[in-house]
């Protein structure tokens, strides 16, 4: 997305802790890899850069992260552009199809990660390939484009564990979060302007789960993306850039 955004906006792209080329630490980290820790880390970065009223963007755990930042520090966010997860799924997360799709969120809470996957490049590659293949839109080039890159980033001892630590904290684990979700009163709904880009080929978050957004968001725009899977910023960067720049112009 960077080449589509940088001619018109200043763009900061941090790696969340445990992801990308960030440092990987596993001892005495407290809640650093949890939702609250990730939020505090990004807030500290934004403050250090002297930024306010930004357009915050995220998908997957980045979506939970930027939404929480906007609630905790509303001065930092002018508006948001996200892809799922979004609020409003509720206990549908416990239905059979959903549980099968989120099997990774259960597996990653177990020590099987340390015993069978972490530090073993072939095993890391196999797990990543399974996720990329199953979560991308049919015919997507994302699998081939990302597999070598992600395998390299997550094969060193401790790197894969760092990348899945998010799921070991109930606050960010989608199964736990949605199973305990409650409809919000109008005064408590998310108040920042937010664009929600919802892919049509994402097996983790089917588009029918967008039916309750008005119970949680006070000022939202829903755009249903075509021919995009879970990795929508990579599969449809032009669509993302269009909506991000629209929010930038408004800001």
């Amino acid at each position: 997305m960077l080449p589509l955004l940088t001619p018109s906006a200043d763009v900061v792209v941090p790696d969340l802790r445990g992801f990308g080329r960030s440092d990987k630490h596993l001892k005495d980290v407290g809640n650093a890899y949890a939702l609250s820790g990730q939020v505090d880390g990004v807030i500290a970065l934004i403050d250090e850069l002297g930024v306010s009223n930004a357009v915050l963007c995220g998908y997957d755990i980045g979506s939970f992260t930027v939404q929480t930042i906007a609630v905790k520090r509303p001065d930092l966010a002018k508006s948001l552009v996200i892809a799922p997860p979004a609020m409003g799924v509720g206990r549908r997360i416990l239905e059979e199809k959903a549980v099968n799709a989120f099997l990774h969120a259960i597996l990653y809470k177990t020590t099987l990660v340390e015993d069978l996957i972490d530090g073993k490049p072939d095993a890391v590659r196999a797990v990543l390939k399974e996720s990329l293949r199953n979560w991308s839109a049919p015919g997507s080039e994302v699998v081939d484009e990302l597999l070598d890159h992600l395998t390299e980033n997550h094969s060193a001892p401790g790197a894969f564990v760092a990348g899945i630590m998010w799921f070991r904290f109930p606050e960010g684990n989608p199964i736990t979060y949605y199973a305990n979700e409650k409809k919000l009163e109008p005064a408590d709904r998310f108040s920042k302007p937010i664009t929600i880009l919802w892919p049509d080929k994402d097996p983790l978050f089917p588009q029918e789960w967008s039916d309750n957004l008005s119970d949680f968001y006070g000022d939202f725009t829903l755009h249903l993306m075509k021919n995009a899977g879970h990795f929508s910023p990579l599969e449809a960067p032009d669509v993302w850039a269009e909506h991000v720049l629209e929010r930038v112009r408004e800001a």
Side-chain angles (χ1 to χ4, degrees):
M1 289 171 56
L2 276 171
L4 302 175
L5 297 176
T6 50
S8 304
D10 294 326
V11 186
V12 179
V13 188
D15 284 329
L16 295 181
R17 292 182 184 135
F19 296 94
R21 299 197 181 278
S22 67
D23 292 336
K24 312 297 193 295
H25 302 285
L26 297 179
K27 295 182 179 179
D28 302 320
V29 295
N31 71 336
Y33 291 112
L35 171 60
S36 56
Q38 299 283 13
V39 165
D40 287 345
V42 177
I43 286 176
L45 172 64
I46 297 173
D47 280 339
E48 184 175 335
L49 295 173
V51 174
S52 61
N53 288 319
V55 179
L56 301 181
C57 308
Y59 82 109
D60 198 272
I61 76 166
S63 176
F64 271 154
T65 300
V66 296
Q67 291 180 75
T68 307
I69 290 170
V71 171
K72 185 172 184 177
R73 285 285 303 278
D75 58 305
L76 300 182
K78 180 69 173 180
S79 57
L80 293 86
V81 181
I82 67 163
M87 293 182 280
V89 174
R91 296 185 69 82
R92 287 179 291 189
I93 196 68
L94 301 177
E95 295 173 358
E96 181 180 2
K97 187 176 181 180
V99 170
N100 288 337
F102 279 93
L103 183 61
H104 63 289
I106 301 170
L107 170 66
Y108 291 165
K109 295 172 69 174
T110 75
T111 57
L112 288 173
V113 174
E114 286 88 342
D115 296 339
L116 301 178
I117 302 172
D118 189 76
K120 302 174 177 65
D122 288 346
V124 169
R125 184 180 181 87
V127 173
L128 292 170
K129 183 177 181 180
E130 181 75 3
S131 298
L132 287 168
R133 182 177 58 197
N134 289 339
W135 300 348
S136 302
S140 172
E141 298 178 357
V142 164
V143 176
D144 294 333
E145 179 183 343
L146 279 182
L147 190 54
D148 290 340
H149 173 70
L150 291 176
T151 300
E152 178 185 356
N153 279 356
H154 290 81
S155 288
F160 193 87
V161 173
I164 58 88
M165 285 290 286
W166 169 280
F167 294 95
R168 296 184 172 181
F169 297 88
E171 59 180 296
N173 190 296
I175 296 176
T176 305
Y177 176 86
Y178 284 130
N180 293 286
E181 188 178 56
K182 297 288 190 297
K183 180 178 177 180
L184 299 178
E185 296 296 328
D188 297 326
R189 291 171 188 168
F190 190 90
S191 59
K192 290 289 182 178
I194 184 168
T195 299
I196 301 172
L197 306 176
W198 207 301
D200 64 344
K201 305 295 184 183
D202 186 348
L204 297 176
F205 299 97
Q207 283 188 343
E208 54 263 31
W209 283 2
S210 65
D211 57 348
N212 293 326
L213 293 175
S214 60
D215 292 334
F216 294 87
Y217 298 94
D219 183 4
F220 74 94
T221 301
L222 174 63
H223 177 79
L224 301 178
M225 304 178 71
K226 295 182 179 180
N227 301 316
H230 185 64
F231 306 100
S232 59
L234 292 162
E235 296 177 282
D238 53 334
V239 177
W240 265 85
E242 174 190 349
H243 290 276
V244 171
L245 292 175
E246 181 178 344
R247 290 296 187 185
V248 168
R249 286 190 292 270
E250 293 173 356

